[in-house]
């Protein structure tokens, strides 16, 4: 049985979350749509969102420039919340384009993956 594109992505995301749940580290969770990108840092237990940022207020929120801006913004807010070490949860999306730009901007901002 062939999985749909969305089912396969969700399966990859679930495998990552199951593997990292036992490690007990905060995770930077990224979600993207065709028009916007969202990022949030979730607590180690997985019940609280510590920091969040999105491109909803951007005019062109679905491009690499917006993703870079969100990455820098999330890193700045994470430092304020005293979070430095995280696991990068790309939610099953491929690590290129907007997801890669967000991750690199967050690393440049001081987050340790």
């Amino acid at each position: 049985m062939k999985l749909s594109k969305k089912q396969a992505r969700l399966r990859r995301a679930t495998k990552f979350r199951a593997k990292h749940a036992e490690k007990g580290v905060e995770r930077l969770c990224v979600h993207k749509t065709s028009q916007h990108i969202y990022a949030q840092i979730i607590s180690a237990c997985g019940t609280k969102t510590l920091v969040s940022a999105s491109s909803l207020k951007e005019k062109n929120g679905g491009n690499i420039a917006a993703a870079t801006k969100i990455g820098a913004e999330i890193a700045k807010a994470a430092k304020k919340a005293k979070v430095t070490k995280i696991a990068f949860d790309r939610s099953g999306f491929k690590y290129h384009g907007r997801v890669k730009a967000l991750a690199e901007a967050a690393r440049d901002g001081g987050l340790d993956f």
Side-chain angles (χ1 to χ4, degrees):
M1 183 173 120
K2 186 168 167 78
L3 295 175
S4 72
K5 188 174 179 180
K6 185 174 181 179
Q7 287 173 325
R9 182 186 68 78
L10 292 174
R11 183 173 171 221
R12 287 191 301 271
T14 304
K15 285 168 76 173
F16 171 87
R17 291 177 187 147
K19 193 187 305 183
H20 284 79
E22 59 203 33
K23 291 186 179 179
V25 66
E26 286 85 11
R27 59 188 167 101
L28 171 58
C29 188
V30 175
H31 181 73
K32 67 176 187 165
T33 63
S34 60
Q35 301 205 345
H36 294 289
I37 191 158
Y38 310 86
Q40 59 184 355
I41 296 182
I42 300 174
S43 66
C45 60
T47 58
K48 291 182 185 174
T49 299
L50 305 175
V51 177
S52 66
S54 72
S55 66
L56 288 173
K57 294 179 182 172
E58 298 290 320
K59 185 175 182 182
N60 291 323
N63 59 18
I64 290 178
T68 303
K69 189 173 180 182
I70 296 304
E73 192 178 310
I74 198 90
K76 185 178 174 185
K79 276 188 172 181
K80 198 172 187 179
K82 296 183 175 97
V83 176
T84 56
K85 188 150 181 71
I86 58 164
F88 185 62
D89 180 2
R90 55 190 172 82
S91 300
F93 294 110
K94 290 183 180 179
Y95 186 81
H96 76 101
R98 292 186 287 158
V99 174
K100 182 178 179 182
L102 189 144
E104 289 175 352
R107 276 194 192 100
D108 293 342
L111 288 179
D112 183 28
F113 293 31

